[in-house]
Amino acid sequence: GAAGARAVRLVKLTRLLRLGRVLRLMKIYQQLKNVGRTLSSAYLPHSVSMATKILRYVFLIFWVNHVIACTWFAIGRYMNFFSDTGRSWLEYYGLEDANGVDSYNQMSSTFQYSSSLHFAVSNTVLGSLSIDATNSVERCFTVLCLVGGFLFSSTLVSSLSAWLFQI
């Protein structure tokens, strides 16, 4: 009823706010890229120019992993009504701290974010992962992240190899 409509509006509003932040970050990235090009072509030696390119890629890697981490957290937090198992990764039991807390949902927000970031980094570089998808939506997102991570990593290696060949 009314509560569901409010929840849908809230989700749409948060999406719009996040989209605005993403667009601002993309604009900042483009501005940094333009500044880097201007500095490298006019004032900096080739090695410093290469270092700025690498730093831009590092920034891009951190940004992409942050976006994936936030999306993974949002899927676990807000997509329960799509869950075919009735659970999300945040409700996974098997953790335990000194206070007897045993699910990601009950852990601190810092731990939840760092766990989401661990998920993102692991999927970007095809590493091991201790966070399991517990429903079909999470599993599909994980597969998309693995494929995207493979493409992203191979593109990064290819770009770095091309740059090194230019030296």
Side-chain angles (χ1 to χ4, degrees):
R6 273 190 239 133
V8 168
R9 275 188 263 143
L10 181 63
V11 168
K12 287 182 180 180
L13 178 64
T14 57
R15 267 193 221 144
L16 284 174
L17 292 174
R18 278 184 269 151
L19 180 62
R21 283 187 289 207
V22 167
L23 292 174
R24 269 184 295 185
L25 282 173
M26 289 175 67
K27 186 176 180 179
I28 290 170
Y29 177 75
Q30 284 299 327
Q31 289 172 347
L32 286 174
K33 193 174 175 180
N34 291 337
V35 167
R37 281 186 188 149
T38 303
L39 287 176
S40 66
S41 64
Y43 304 108
L44 301 176
H46 187 65
S47 59
V48 176
S49 172
M50 295 299 279
T52 59
K53 286 181 183 179
I54 291 171
L55 285 175
R56 279 198 324 254
Y57 265 104
V58 168
F59 174 75
L60 180 65
I61 289 168
F62 281 123
W63 180 74
V64 166
N65 282 313
H66 170 74
V67 170
I68 291 171
C70 291
T71 304
W72 177 247
F73 180 78
I75 287 171
R77 174 75 69 197
Y78 303 111
M79 293 297 215
N80 274 346
F81 53 91
F82 286 123
S83 175
D84 52 355
T85 62
R87 296 184 64 181
S88 78
W89 73 271
L90 285 169
E91 297 164 355
Y92 175 72
Y93 294 92
L95 301 171
E96 190 168 337
D97 69 0
N99 299 323
V101 175
D102 60 358
S103 78
Y104 287 103
N105 224 3
Q106 297 170 331
M107 296 290 189
S108 70
S109 58
T110 304
F111 185 79
Q112 290 174 349
Y113 177 76
S114 62
S115 297
S116 297
L117 191 60
H118 175 217
F119 168 86
V121 170
S122 294
N123 281 310
T124 303
V125 295
L126 306 174
S128 66
L129 184 63
S130 62
I131 301 171
D132 296 323
T134 59
N135 61 50
S136 296
V137 174
E138 292 174 357
R139 194 155 308 276
C140 289
F141 183 72
T142 302
V143 169
L144 286 174
C145 286
L146 286 170
V147 171
F150 173 73
L151 294 173
F152 185 74
S153 298
S154 60
T155 302
L156 179 64
V157 168
S158 159
S159 297
L160 290 175
S161 298
W163 288 342
L164 290 175
F165 187 70
Q166 288 176 356
I167 294 176

